[in-house]
């Protein structure tokens, strides 16, 4: 059995959310790991919210579905499939809600030896507990980390 090869990446994560003409944005940079297991690719990194809230984030890609999995102070699982509606779940210590995404675009380009930069782009409309939260654009810029 071969152990999956892990590659360190630097990444910039940017989200833009538009709801009723209002735009909300946030961005952060961190390092993560990209590895292949079975027929799927995994990108894993840590998100920090506020002063002391950390969430381990995994993006799983099988060539068609991109699944976002967050574990830590927030639990979330949401799959994105281009031109499809998908259901998910968002959980905090206070409550658990169903989520829904209507995904317009999913683009995944991993860095390669020939092209050391990659990207992930998702554009979707999102609902939390039946309430629309707006149109979301998520962009990740990926780059091979120097050892």
């Amino acid at each position: 059995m071969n152990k999956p090869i892990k590659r360190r990446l630097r990444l910039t994560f940017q989200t833009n959310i538009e709801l009723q003409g209002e735009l909300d944005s946030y961005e952060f940079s961190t390092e993560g790991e990209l590895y292949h297991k079975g027929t799927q690719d995994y990108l894993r990194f840590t998100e920090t919210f506020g002063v002391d809230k950390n969430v381990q984030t995994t993006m799983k890609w099988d060539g068609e579905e991109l699944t976002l999995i967050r574990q830590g102070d927030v639990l979330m699982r949401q799959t994105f499939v281009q031109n499809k509606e998908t259901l998910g779940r968002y959980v905090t210590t206070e409550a658990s809600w169903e989520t829904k995404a209507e995904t317009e675009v999913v683009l995944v380009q991993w860095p390669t030896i020939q092209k050391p930069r990659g990207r992930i782009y998702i554009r979707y409309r999102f609902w939390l507990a039946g309430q629309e939260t707006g149109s979301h654009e998520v962009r990740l810029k990926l780059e091979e980390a120097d050892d």
Side-chain angles (χ1 to χ4, degrees), residues 16-142:
N16 293 315
I17 304 168
E18 184 179 344
L19 180 63
Q20 299 174 346
E22 296 288 321
L23 183 64
D24 189 19
S25 301
Y26 72 92
E27 181 176 322
F28 66 91
S29 296
T30 189
E31 286 197 0
E33 289 183 330
L34 173 63
Y35 63 95
H36 185 80
K37 185 176 176 184
T39 60
Q40 300 179 346
D41 296 307
Y42 295 83
L43 175 63
R44 184 172 287 163
F45 56 93
T46 300
E47 291 182 75
T48 302
F49 296 95
V51 177
D52 60 351
K53 294 191 185 280
N54 290 312
V55 175
Q56 181 70 39
T57 300
T58 303
M59 299 181 106
K60 180 173 73 168
W61 174 245
D62 70 1
E64 182 181 337
E65 292 184 2
L66 181 67
T67 303
L68 175 66
I69 304 163
R70 288 184 166 130
Q71 297 175 304
D73 291 306
V74 169
L75 301 175
M76 180 180 180
R77 184 177 189 92
Q78 182 69 52
T79 300
F80 301 95
V81 181
Q82 189 161 303
N83 298 318
K84 298 248 170 123
E85 179 181 297
T86 53
L87 299 178
R89 179 123 329 255
Y90 186 89
V91 180
T92 68
T93 54
E94 292 82 32
S96 174
W97 300 280
E98 182 177 86
T99 60
K100 179 175 81 170
E102 288 181 357
T103 306
E104 296 174 40
V105 178
V106 176
L107 173 67
V108 177
Q109 296 174 328
W110 299 124
T112 64
I113 292 171
Q114 297 82 14
K115 190 175 175 189
R117 292 192 171 125
R119 65 185 175 140
I120 296 174
Y121 176 75
I122 317 165
R123 187 172 62 232
Y124 58 96
R125 291 177 57 213
F126 194 69
W127 286 260
L128 177 67
Q131 296 291 321
E132 185 173 4
T133 65
S135 296
H136 296 238
E137 276 191 334
V138 176
R139 297 170 200 247
L140 282 85
K141 296 177 187 173
L142 310 169

Side-chain angles (χ1 to χ4, degrees), residues 8-12 30-32 141-146:
R8 286 191 18 228
L9 298 179
R10 284 190 307 271
L11 61 99
T12 302
T30 189
E31 286 197 0
K141 296 177 187 173
L142 310 169
E143 187 174 357
E144 295 283 348
D146 299 327

